[in-house]
Amino acid sequence: MTDPLRPIEQALGDEGLFFTRDDDEDAYRVAFKSEGDRYFVVSYRDDPTFVMIGSGWALPGGADPIEAVDVANRLNVRKKFVKTALWQEESDVLFTVELCVGSASEIRPHFGRLLNVLRDTASEFFEQLRPEAPET
Amino acid sequence: MPSAREIITRFIESEGHRVDVAPVDPETGVGELLFRTRGQVFSVTTTEQDENAMSISTAYEIPDWARERHQNAEALERVHHEHPRVDFTLAHDGGLFVATLDEKAATPQELLNGFWTLVSRLRDAGTQAIEDIVDRTESKVAAEKFINSFMMGDQ
């Protein structure tokens, strides 16, 4: 069977990024970094038409999980493509783009845009979560 | 001891990006690294004469219809005023401009502090410059002149 994530490798090559593969019996996985931030792409062997691009971050210490969920909800309403979710007992936040494709080659021309929107969503999430400075 | 060029190359690669390393010019000691991020190619220039300094540059192509050399120079001057650390140079007969940011540190290693912030500043300034150039159409300038003079009561 052909590698369903091969077009993602090519897209990463277009972007000038290194990547590593970490496939297992359940899934195809690509891991890469951009400007030092870590990202992953996953597709499942029993459902290769599903492709997920994502990045996971630890919530900053002292962050209010209820406020974090509220920020995530607002981003989910407003942002195209990206799903923001708190997970792992609400200590982490996951940003994902989840797509259904005939082939991951359909993603290749849009990969830069999807990466940008993932990056921007994470940036906005942490910006909105940041406590406002007390008024002096 | 590794040179600034080697330290910066290793850093950019460790951050996930492929780096093209041009050979150092034997006469000037200047070396150039090229990498790509967010769809834009950036160049980092170092020199053996000063291992604690680097210049980061990126080029923007100006669309054919917006290649008004004098007005674009004025637009770049305005953006430089807002981003004083970023210098702009028109090149290729006004067909493109290069945005450059110089950084100096106490050691080559310290050049890496805030590296992506510097790249981001350069990108912001460059994006603003290209937007200003592209927005500066004759019709917009004419409209603004009309509105300004109308507001002043000349019309």
Side-chain angles (χ1 to χ4, degrees), chain B residues 7-64:
Chain B
I7 289 170
I8 295 165
T9 301
R10 275 187 224 151
F11 170 76
I12 298 170
E13 286 179 343
S14 75
E15 295 280 277
H17 300 256
R18 295 182 190 281
V19 181
D20 286 334
V21 184
V24 175
D25 184 319
E27 288 182 18
T28 61
V30 173
E32 186 184 28
L33 316 169
L34 294 171
F35 68 96
R36 191 177 173 87
T37 183
R38 307 193 192 192
Q40 179 93 4
V41 175
F42 288 80
S43 147
V44 182
T45 309
T46 57
T47 168
E48 289 173 346
Q49 275 77 51
D50 185 355
E51 288 282 357
N52 300 335
M54 68 176 174
S55 295
I56 311 177
S57 301
T58 188
Y60 292 82
E61 188 174 357
I62 298 171
D64 285 343

Short mmCIF file of all heavy atoms in Angstrom, two decimals, chain B residues 7-64:
data_model
loop_
_atom_site.label_atom_id
_atom_site.label_comp_id
_atom_site.label_asym_id
_atom_site.label_seq_id
_atom_site.Cartn_x
_atom_site.Cartn_y
_atom_site.Cartn_z
N ILE B 7 27.18 28.27 14.55
CA ILE B 7 26.23 28.29 15.68
C ILE B 7 24.82 28.59 15.18
O ILE B 7 23.86 27.93 15.56
CB ILE B 7 26.69 29.32 16.74
CG1 ILE B 7 27.94 28.81 17.45
CG2 ILE B 7 25.59 29.61 17.74
CD1 ILE B 7 28.62 29.83 18.34
N ILE B 8 24.71 29.58 14.30
CA ILE B 8 23.38 29.97 13.79
C ILE B 8 22.81 28.85 12.91
O ILE B 8 21.62 28.52 13.01
CB ILE B 8 23.47 31.31 13.01
CG1 ILE B 8 23.88 32.44 13.96
CG2 ILE B 8 22.14 31.63 12.36
CD1 ILE B 8 24.34 33.71 13.25
N THR B 9 23.65 28.24 12.10
CA THR B 9 23.18 27.12 11.26
C THR B 9 22.61 26.00 12.12
O THR B 9 21.51 25.50 11.88
CB THR B 9 24.33 26.56 10.39
OG1 THR B 9 24.85 27.60 9.58
CG2 THR B 9 23.87 25.42 9.51
N ARG B 10 23.38 25.61 13.13
CA ARG B 10 22.92 24.51 14.01
C ARG B 10 21.61 24.86 14.69
O ARG B 10 20.73 24.04 14.85
CB ARG B 10 24.00 24.21 15.06
CG ARG B 10 25.05 23.26 14.55
CD ARG B 10 25.98 22.86 15.67
NE ARG B 10 27.35 22.91 15.21
CZ ARG B 10 28.39 23.16 15.97
NH1 ARG B 10 28.23 23.41 17.26
NH2 ARG B 10 29.60 23.16 15.48
N PHE B 11 21.51 26.14 15.12
CA PHE B 11 20.30 26.57 15.82
C PHE B 11 19.09 26.47 14.89
O PHE B 11 18.06 25.88 15.25
CB PHE B 11 20.46 28.01 16.32
CG PHE B 11 19.17 28.60 16.82
CD1 PHE B 11 18.67 28.23 18.07
CD2 PHE B 11 18.45 29.51 16.06
CE1 PHE B 11 17.47 28.77 18.53
CE2 PHE B 11 17.25 30.04 16.52
CZ PHE B 11 16.77 29.67 17.75
N ILE B 12 19.21 27.03 13.69
CA ILE B 12 18.05 27.04 12.77
C ILE B 12 17.65 25.60 12.43
O ILE B 12 16.46 25.26 12.39
CB ILE B 12 18.36 27.86 11.50
CG1 ILE B 12 18.65 29.32 11.86
CG2 ILE B 12 17.19 27.79 10.52
CD1 ILE B 12 19.19 30.15 10.70
N GLU B 13 18.65 24.74 12.23
CA GLU B 13 18.35 23.33 11.92
C GLU B 13 17.67 22.65 13.12
O GLU B 13 16.74 21.88 12.95
CB GLU B 13 19.62 22.60 11.52
CG GLU B 13 20.09 22.98 10.13
CD GLU B 13 21.38 22.30 9.70
OE1 GLU B 13 22.11 21.77 10.58
OE2 GLU B 13 21.67 22.31 8.49
N SER B 14 18.14 22.97 14.32
CA SER B 14 17.54 22.35 15.51
C SER B 14 16.11 22.82 15.72
O SER B 14 15.33 22.17 16.39
CB SER B 14 18.36 22.66 16.76
OG SER B 14 18.14 23.99 17.17
N GLU B 15 15.76 23.96 15.12
CA GLU B 15 14.40 24.49 15.23
C GLU B 15 13.51 23.93 14.11
O GLU B 15 12.36 24.34 13.98
CB GLU B 15 14.42 26.01 15.17
CG GLU B 15 15.15 26.64 16.35
CD GLU B 15 14.29 26.72 17.60
OE1 GLU B 15 13.51 27.66 17.72
OE2 GLU B 15 14.42 25.82 18.46
N GLY B 16 14.06 23.04 13.28
CA GLY B 16 13.25 22.32 12.31
C GLY B 16 13.43 22.72 10.86
O GLY B 16 12.76 22.17 9.98
N HIS B 17 14.32 23.68 10.57
CA HIS B 17 14.41 24.23 9.22
C HIS B 17 15.68 23.80 8.49
O HIS B 17 16.77 23.81 9.08
CB HIS B 17 14.37 25.76 9.27
CG HIS B 17 13.10 26.28 9.88
ND1 HIS B 17 12.09 26.82 9.13
CD2 HIS B 17 12.68 26.30 11.17
CE1 HIS B 17 11.10 27.16 9.93
NE2 HIS B 17 11.43 26.86 11.18
N ARG B 18 15.53 23.48 7.22
CA ARG B 18 16.70 23.21 6.39
C ARG B 18 17.45 24.51 6.14
O ARG B 18 16.83 25.57 5.98
CB ARG B 18 16.28 22.64 5.03
CG ARG B 18 15.61 21.30 5.13
CD ARG B 18 15.25 20.73 3.75
NE ARG B 18 14.41 19.57 3.93
CZ ARG B 18 14.87 18.36 4.27
NH1 ARG B 18 16.16 18.16 4.42
NH2 ARG B 18 14.04 17.34 4.45
N VAL B 19 18.78 24.43 6.11
CA VAL B 19 19.59 25.62 5.90
C VAL B 19 20.53 25.37 4.72
O VAL B 19 21.22 24.35 4.68
CB VAL B 19 20.43 25.95 7.16
CG1 VAL B 19 21.26 27.21 6.93
CG2 VAL B 19 19.53 26.13 8.37
N ASP B 20 20.52 26.29 3.77
CA ASP B 20 21.51 26.26 2.68
C ASP B 20 22.67 27.15 3.09
O ASP B 20 22.47 28.34 3.36
CB ASP B 20 20.90 26.80 1.38
CG ASP B 20 19.95 25.81 0.76
OD1 ASP B 20 20.12 24.61 1.01
OD2 ASP B 20 19.03 26.24 0.04
N VAL B 21 23.86 26.58 3.13
CA VAL B 21 25.03 27.33 3.59
C VAL B 21 25.91 27.65 2.39
O VAL B 21 26.44 26.74 1.75
CB VAL B 21 25.83 26.52 4.63
CG1 VAL B 21 27.00 27.34 5.17
CG2 VAL B 21 24.92 26.07 5.78
N ALA B 22 26.04 28.94 2.10
CA ALA B 22 26.92 29.35 0.99
C ALA B 22 28.35 29.43 1.51
O ALA B 22 28.57 29.77 2.67
CB ALA B 22 26.48 30.71 0.45
N PRO B 23 29.33 29.12 0.68
CA PRO B 23 30.72 29.20 1.13
C PRO B 23 31.10 30.63 1.51
O PRO B 23 30.59 31.58 0.94
CB PRO B 23 31.54 28.74 -0.06
CG PRO B 23 30.59 28.35 -1.12
CD PRO B 23 29.22 28.73 -0.73
N VAL B 24 31.97 30.74 2.50
CA VAL B 24 32.43 32.07 2.93
C VAL B 24 33.30 32.68 1.84
O VAL B 24 34.16 32.01 1.25
CB VAL B 24 33.24 31.94 4.25
CG1 VAL B 24 33.83 33.30 4.64
CG2 VAL B 24 32.38 31.38 5.36
N ASP B 25 33.06 33.96 1.57
CA ASP B 25 33.89 34.68 0.59
C ASP B 25 35.29 34.83 1.19
O ASP B 25 35.45 35.46 2.25
CB ASP B 25 33.26 36.06 0.33
CG ASP B 25 34.00 36.83 -0.74
OD1 ASP B 25 35.25 36.80 -0.75
OD2 ASP B 25 33.33 37.46 -1.57
N PRO B 26 36.32 34.27 0.53
CA PRO B 26 37.66 34.29 1.13
C PRO B 26 38.23 35.70 1.26
O PRO B 26 39.06 35.95 2.13
CB PRO B 26 38.50 33.44 0.17
CG PRO B 26 37.72 33.37 -1.09
CD PRO B 26 36.29 33.59 -0.76
N GLU B 27 37.77 36.63 0.44
CA GLU B 27 38.30 38.00 0.51
C GLU B 27 37.64 38.82 1.60
O GLU B 27 38.30 39.54 2.34
CB GLU B 27 38.13 38.69 -0.85
CG GLU B 27 39.07 38.15 -1.90
CD GLU B 27 38.91 38.87 -3.22
OE1 GLU B 27 38.35 39.98 -3.24
OE2 GLU B 27 39.34 38.29 -4.23
N THR B 28 36.30 38.74 1.69
CA THR B 28 35.59 39.59 2.65
C THR B 28 35.30 38.87 3.96
O THR B 28 35.00 39.51 4.97
CB THR B 28 34.24 40.05 2.06
OG1 THR B 28 33.45 38.88 1.80
CG2 THR B 28 34.45 40.82 0.77
N GLY B 29 35.36 37.55 3.95
CA GLY B 29 35.02 36.78 5.16
C GLY B 29 33.53 36.72 5.42
O GLY B 29 33.08 36.29 6.48
N VAL B 30 32.73 37.15 4.43
CA VAL B 30 31.27 37.17 4.60
C VAL B 30 30.69 35.81 4.19
O VAL B 30 31.04 35.26 3.15
CB VAL B 30 30.64 38.31 3.75
CG1 VAL B 30 29.11 38.21 3.78
CG2 VAL B 30 31.09 39.66 4.27
N GLY B 31 29.81 35.30 5.05
CA GLY B 31 29.13 34.04 4.75
C GLY B 31 27.63 34.24 4.81
O GLY B 31 27.13 35.09 5.55
N GLU B 32 26.90 33.44 4.03
CA GLU B 32 25.45 33.60 4.00
C GLU B 32 24.75 32.27 4.22
O GLU B 32 25.17 31.24 3.68
CB GLU B 32 25.02 34.19 2.64
CG GLU B 32 23.54 34.52 2.60
CD GLU B 32 23.08 35.03 1.24
OE1 GLU B 32 23.72 34.66 0.23
OE2 GLU B 32 22.10 35.76 1.18
N LEU B 33 23.68 32.30 5.02
CA LEU B 33 22.83 31.12 5.26
C LEU B 33 21.45 31.45 4.73
O LEU B 33 20.99 32.59 4.89
CB LEU B 33 22.69 30.84 6.75
CG LEU B 33 23.94 30.93 7.61
CD1 LEU B 33 23.55 30.88 9.08
CD2 LEU B 33 24.85 29.77 7.26
N LEU B 34 20.80 30.48 4.13
CA LEU B 34 19.44 30.70 3.64
C LEU B 34 18.52 29.66 4.27
O LEU B 34 18.86 28.49 4.34
CB LEU B 34 19.38 30.55 2.12
CG LEU B 34 20.13 31.59 1.28
CD1 LEU B 34 20.16 31.17 -0.18
CD2 LEU B 34 19.48 32.96 1.42
N PHE B 35 17.36 30.12 4.74
CA PHE B 35 16.35 29.19 5.24
C PHE B 35 14.99 29.73 4.88
O PHE B 35 14.84 30.91 4.52
CB PHE B 35 16.49 28.95 6.74
CG PHE B 35 16.15 30.16 7.58
CD1 PHE B 35 14.89 30.30 8.13
CD2 PHE B 35 17.09 31.14 7.81
CE1 PHE B 35 14.56 31.41 8.90
CE2 PHE B 35 16.77 32.27 8.58
CZ PHE B 35 15.51 32.40 9.12
N ARG B 36 14.00 28.87 5.02
CA ARG B 36 12.64 29.23 4.64
C ARG B 36 11.74 29.08 5.85
O ARG B 36 11.83 28.10 6.58
CB ARG B 36 12.20 28.25 3.54
CG ARG B 36 10.95 28.59 2.83
CD ARG B 36 10.74 27.52 1.73
NE ARG B 36 9.44 27.72 1.12
CZ ARG B 36 9.24 28.55 0.09
NH1 ARG B 36 10.24 29.19 -0.43
NH2 ARG B 36 8.04 28.71 -0.40
N THR B 37 10.88 30.07 6.08
CA THR B 37 9.86 29.89 7.11
C THR B 37 8.62 30.66 6.69
O THR B 37 8.72 31.75 6.13
CB THR B 37 10.34 30.33 8.51
OG1 THR B 37 9.30 30.05 9.46
CG2 THR B 37 10.74 31.79 8.59
N ARG B 38 7.47 30.07 6.95
CA ARG B 38 6.17 30.64 6.61
C ARG B 38 6.13 31.11 5.15
O ARG B 38 5.64 32.18 4.84
CB ARG B 38 5.80 31.79 7.55
CG ARG B 38 5.89 31.39 9.02
CD ARG B 38 5.26 32.37 9.93
NE ARG B 38 5.62 32.09 11.31
CZ ARG B 38 5.06 32.63 12.36
NH1 ARG B 38 4.09 33.48 12.22
NH2 ARG B 38 5.45 32.32 13.59
N GLY B 39 6.74 30.29 4.29
CA GLY B 39 6.67 30.55 2.86
C GLY B 39 7.62 31.62 2.36
O GLY B 39 7.59 31.96 1.18
N GLN B 40 8.48 32.16 3.23
CA GLN B 40 9.37 33.25 2.83
C GLN B 40 10.82 32.82 3.06
O GLN B 40 11.12 32.21 4.10
CB GLN B 40 9.02 34.48 3.68
CG GLN B 40 9.86 35.70 3.44
CD GLN B 40 9.24 36.65 2.40
OE1 GLN B 40 8.13 36.41 1.92
NE2 GLN B 40 9.96 37.66 2.02
N VAL B 41 11.70 33.15 2.12
CA VAL B 41 13.12 32.81 2.28
C VAL B 41 13.83 33.95 3.00
O VAL B 41 13.64 35.12 2.66
CB VAL B 41 13.78 32.56 0.91
CG1 VAL B 41 15.28 32.34 1.07
CG2 VAL B 41 13.15 31.36 0.23
N PHE B 42 14.61 33.60 4.02
CA PHE B 42 15.39 34.57 4.78
C PHE B 42 16.87 34.26 4.61
O PHE B 42 17.26 33.10 4.47
CB PHE B 42 15.03 34.52 6.27
CG PHE B 42 13.68 35.10 6.56
CD1 PHE B 42 12.53 34.36 6.36
CD2 PHE B 42 13.54 36.39 7.05
CE1 PHE B 42 11.27 34.89 6.61
CE2 PHE B 42 12.30 36.93 7.30
CZ PHE B 42 11.16 36.17 7.08
N SER B 43 17.68 35.32 4.65
CA SER B 43 19.12 35.17 4.54
C SER B 43 19.76 35.70 5.82
O SER B 43 19.36 36.75 6.33
CB SER B 43 19.59 35.97 3.32
OG SER B 43 20.86 36.50 3.53
N VAL B 44 20.70 34.96 6.36
CA VAL B 44 21.46 35.45 7.52
C VAL B 44 22.90 35.62 7.05
O VAL B 44 23.52 34.68 6.56
CB VAL B 44 21.41 34.46 8.70
CG1 VAL B 44 22.18 35.02 9.89
CG2 VAL B 44 19.98 34.16 9.10
N THR B 45 23.42 36.83 7.22
CA THR B 45 24.79 37.11 6.80
C THR B 45 25.67 37.32 8.03
O THR B 45 25.28 38.04 8.95
CB THR B 45 24.83 38.39 5.93
OG1 THR B 45 23.86 38.25 4.91
CG2 THR B 45 26.19 38.58 5.30
N THR B 46 26.80 36.67 8.04
CA THR B 46 27.78 36.86 9.12
C THR B 46 29.13 37.20 8.49
O THR B 46 29.34 36.97 7.29
CB THR B 46 27.95 35.57 9.96
OG1 THR B 46 28.35 34.51 9.08
CG2 THR B 46 26.67 35.20 10.67
N THR B 47 30.01 37.74 9.31
CA THR B 47 31.34 38.04 8.80
C THR B 47 32.39 37.60 9.81
O THR B 47 32.16 37.71 11.02
CB THR B 47 31.48 39.55 8.47
OG1 THR B 47 32.86 39.84 8.25
CG2 THR B 47 30.98 40.43 9.60
N GLU B 48 33.50 37.12 9.30
CA GLU B 48 34.57 36.65 10.19
C GLU B 48 35.21 37.81 10.93
O GLU B 48 35.87 37.61 11.94
CB GLU B 48 35.62 35.89 9.36
CG GLU B 48 35.09 34.54 8.88
CD GLU B 48 36.05 33.85 7.92
OE1 GLU B 48 36.99 34.52 7.44
OE2 GLU B 48 35.83 32.66 7.66
N GLN B 49 35.01 39.03 10.42
CA GLN B 49 35.59 40.21 11.09
C GLN B 49 34.86 40.53 12.39
O GLN B 49 35.43 41.14 13.29
CB GLN B 49 35.54 41.44 10.18
CG GLN B 49 36.71 41.55 9.23
CD GLN B 49 36.56 40.59 8.05
OE1 GLN B 49 35.52 40.57 7.42
NE2 GLN B 49 37.55 39.78 7.80
N ASP B 50 33.59 40.16 12.49
CA ASP B 50 32.83 40.43 13.71
C ASP B 50 31.90 39.25 13.97
O ASP B 50 30.80 39.18 13.42
CB ASP B 50 32.04 41.74 13.56
CG ASP B 50 31.34 42.11 14.87
OD1 ASP B 50 31.42 41.32 15.83
OD2 ASP B 50 30.75 43.20 14.92
N GLU B 51 32.35 38.34 14.82
CA GLU B 51 31.59 37.11 15.08
C GLU B 51 30.39 37.35 15.98
O GLU B 51 29.61 36.45 16.25
CB GLU B 51 32.51 36.06 15.73
CG GLU B 51 33.53 35.48 14.76
CD GLU B 51 32.92 34.43 13.84
OE1 GLU B 51 31.74 34.10 13.96
OE2 GLU B 51 33.66 33.94 12.96
N ASN B 52 30.26 38.57 16.51
CA ASN B 52 29.14 38.88 17.40
C ASN B 52 28.04 39.66 16.69
O ASN B 52 27.23 40.32 17.36
CB ASN B 52 29.63 39.69 18.61
CG ASN B 52 30.66 38.92 19.41
OD1 ASN B 52 30.68 37.68 19.37
ND2 ASN B 52 31.53 39.63 20.10
N ALA B 53 28.02 39.60 15.39
CA ALA B 53 27.02 40.37 14.63
C ALA B 53 26.45 39.52 13.51
O ALA B 53 27.10 38.58 13.02
CB ALA B 53 27.66 41.63 14.05
N MET B 54 25.21 39.81 13.15
CA MET B 54 24.60 39.16 11.97
C MET B 54 23.58 40.12 11.36
O MET B 54 23.10 41.04 12.03
CB MET B 54 23.90 37.86 12.36
CG MET B 54 22.68 38.05 13.23
SD MET B 54 21.83 36.49 13.56
CE MET B 54 20.57 37.06 14.72
N SER B 55 23.27 39.89 10.11
CA SER B 55 22.20 40.63 9.44
C SER B 55 21.21 39.60 8.92
O SER B 55 21.60 38.62 8.30
CB SER B 55 22.74 41.42 8.26
OG SER B 55 23.60 42.43 8.70
N ILE B 56 19.92 39.85 9.19
CA ILE B 56 18.87 38.99 8.64
C ILE B 56 18.15 39.79 7.56
O ILE B 56 17.77 40.95 7.80
CB ILE B 56 17.86 38.55 9.72
CG1 ILE B 56 18.58 38.00 10.95
CG2 ILE B 56 16.90 37.50 9.16
CD1 ILE B 56 17.63 37.63 12.09
N SER B 57 17.97 39.18 6.40
CA SER B 57 17.32 39.90 5.29
C SER B 57 16.27 39.02 4.63
O SER B 57 16.35 37.79 4.67
CB SER B 57 18.35 40.26 4.22
OG SER B 57 19.36 41.07 4.74
N THR B 58 15.32 39.69 4.02
CA THR B 58 14.36 38.97 3.18
C THR B 58 13.89 39.91 2.08
O THR B 58 13.88 41.12 2.27
CB THR B 58 13.17 38.41 4.00
OG1 THR B 58 12.39 37.57 3.17
CG2 THR B 58 12.31 39.52 4.59
N ALA B 59 13.57 39.34 0.93
CA ALA B 59 13.22 40.16 -0.23
C ALA B 59 11.74 40.01 -0.58
O ALA B 59 11.14 38.95 -0.37
CB ALA B 59 14.07 39.75 -1.43
N TYR B 60 11.16 41.09 -1.05
CA TYR B 60 9.76 41.10 -1.49
C TYR B 60 9.69 41.60 -2.93
O TYR B 60 10.27 42.65 -3.23
CB TYR B 60 8.92 42.03 -0.60
CG TYR B 60 8.77 41.53 0.81
CD1 TYR B 60 9.77 41.76 1.75
CD2 TYR B 60 7.64 40.83 1.21
CE1 TYR B 60 9.65 41.31 3.05
CE2 TYR B 60 7.50 40.38 2.51
CZ TYR B 60 8.51 40.61 3.42
OH TYR B 60 8.38 40.16 4.71
N GLU B 61 9.00 40.87 -3.77
CA GLU B 61 8.85 41.30 -5.15
C GLU B 61 7.71 42.32 -5.24
O GLU B 61 6.65 42.13 -4.62
CB GLU B 61 8.54 40.10 -6.05
CG GLU B 61 8.57 40.46 -7.50
CD GLU B 61 8.41 39.26 -8.42
OE1 GLU B 61 8.33 38.13 -7.91
OE2 GLU B 61 8.35 39.48 -9.64
N ILE B 62 7.94 43.39 -5.96
CA ILE B 62 6.91 44.42 -6.15
C ILE B 62 6.19 44.12 -7.46
O ILE B 62 6.83 43.92 -8.50
CB ILE B 62 7.56 45.82 -6.20
CG1 ILE B 62 8.28 46.10 -4.88
CG2 ILE B 62 6.52 46.89 -6.49
CD1 ILE B 62 9.13 47.36 -4.89
N PRO B 63 4.85 44.06 -7.42
CA PRO B 63 4.13 43.77 -8.67
C PRO B 63 4.46 44.80 -9.75
O PRO B 63 4.70 45.96 -9.44
CB PRO B 63 2.65 43.87 -8.27
CG PRO B 63 2.61 43.82 -6.78
CD PRO B 63 3.94 44.29 -6.29
N ASP B 64 4.44 44.36 -11.00
CA ASP B 64 4.78 45.23 -12.14
C ASP B 64 4.05 46.56 -12.08
O ASP B 64 4.64 47.62 -12.28
CB ASP B 64 4.43 44.53 -13.47
CG ASP B 64 5.43 43.44 -13.81
OD1 ASP B 64 6.52 43.45 -13.21
OD2 ASP B 64 5.11 42.59 -14.65
#
